[in-house]
Amino acid sequence: MKQRLVLVGFGNVGQGLLEILLKKRQELQARYGYEFVVVGIADVAWGTAYNPNGLNIEALLKAGKARQKFSQDLKEWDALTLIKESDANVVCELAFTNLQTGEPAISHCKAAFSAGKHVVTSNKGPAALAYRELKTMADEKGLRFLIEGTVMSGTPVLNLCAGPLAGCEIIAARGILNGTTNYILTQMEGGMSYDEALKKAQELGYAEADPSGDVEGYDARGKVTILANVVMNTSLKIAEVSCKGITGITLQDIEKAKKAGSRWKLIGSIKKEENRVTASVAPEMLPLTHPLAGVMGATNAITFTTDLLGDVSIVGPGAGRTETGFSILSDLLKI
Ligand code: HSE
């Protein structure tokens, strides 16, 4: 059966996903028998397009590149109406992240489940603020709520824990979970100013629409909360995670660390002790011999401490258009 997709949000991730789907259509069909049709897209800037026979992906990508509104198969529908009325079976929720309320993404996910549709998302809002509620809603209806792209973009962190590491208990995790701040710290070490490095991270599509989410540590705090709740099966609230970002780190601090044979990194940590999970985000000065000290640029890394295997680490992209688009593809293939 062909997967019938609706995309809510057509920013970097939505466009990245369509580029991949277009490029790999034949390969995915030949290797996995995977077939898809994109029937709808809704975006506050581009408008809503719907065609049950399939939208023209090339035309959508052209509109995206030219920053022009959609011109074919237009509908006077908002995202919720598209989710409800379309005959899709999967909703890709790719709207902007809101880590305060999770909206409008939480409502999009609920509308999808109510309409009997799976949800695949890289949006950290619903995953960090309402994971348990949404997962329960999906489970009760025999649907999937898949969120691989919410942590370390397409680098398979959640799927690693759910799949190959399923027999292990995860006791702790420590990692670099925000690409923007790691990129900024890397550039500052090369002598670039904080402001210039942040501007570059925005140009490269790593930073959130409101970059304070990155530099104040809120994005990493959202990811730490998701990890705790998904891989440690707890109910940690985002407000329970202590959080400090990198805005206080100056070029002088970076130089001082360099002279001491160290490097600043924004570290997210989770620990399970006597069945209680605690978590934090804060900059740490790591000796250059530390495995996380060599992780540079927008690359992310995480080390899981497990009961049966000891430490298991994974390093990979943490942000980016194709990288996050890929995370959506991996969840679509999982369905
Ligand atoms: N702004 C995020 C980051 C994007 O820099 O890591 C990926 O979640």
Side-chain angles (χ1 to χ4, degrees), residues 97 122 124 149-153 176-183 201 205-211 213-214 219-220 223 298 300 317-320 324:
T97 290
S122 56
K124 286 152 279 188
T150 59
V151 181
M152 284 176 66
S153 68
I176 295 171
L177 299 172
N178 180 267
T180 302
T181 46
N182 208 47
Y183 177 83
Y206 303 146
E208 297 298 305
D210 172 4
D214 296 291
D219 173 78
K223 291 166 178 165
N300 283 188
T324 315

